[in-house]
Amino acid sequence: MDTHAAIAQIEDACKTISLAMMKVVPAARHLGDETVRDEVMKSAHQLTVELEVIKKKMIRLKGRDESALL
């Protein structure tokens, strides 16, 4: 697998994870246990932040690869 294929695979996985995470927070709001709900919301936020880090790294890596072609 080359770098471009790896980036595409990672970006596709990030998109899938993002779509799944969009379902977690609305569902978590309906949990009966306030403590569990708060922990789920906090964890979902942390996962989203880390996912954004990965996505930004891929954007930077793509930019570096494209600038090497110039």
Side-chain angles (χ1 to χ4, degrees), residues 2-61:
D2 69 351
T3 300
H4 294 290
I7 291 170
Q9 185 173 338
I10 292 168
E11 287 178 330
D12 186 51
C14 286
K15 182 178 178 182
T16 301
I17 295 166
S18 293
L19 292 172
M21 290 304 296
M22 290 174 145
K23 297 176 183 179
V24 171
V25 171
R29 290 187 180 123
H30 299 285
L31 294 174
D33 187 310
E34 186 176 329
T35 303
V36 172
R37 182 192 70 224
D38 291 347
E39 285 296 317
V40 169
M41 299 285 279
K42 179 182 175 185
S43 296
H45 178 264
Q46 290 172 328
L47 283 168
T48 302
V49 168
E50 294 302 324
L51 187 59
E52 288 301 315
V53 169
I54 293 170
K55 289 165 59 176
K56 287 178 185 176
K57 297 276 185 196
M58 294 303 105
I59 290 168
R60 287 187 189 126
L61 187 57

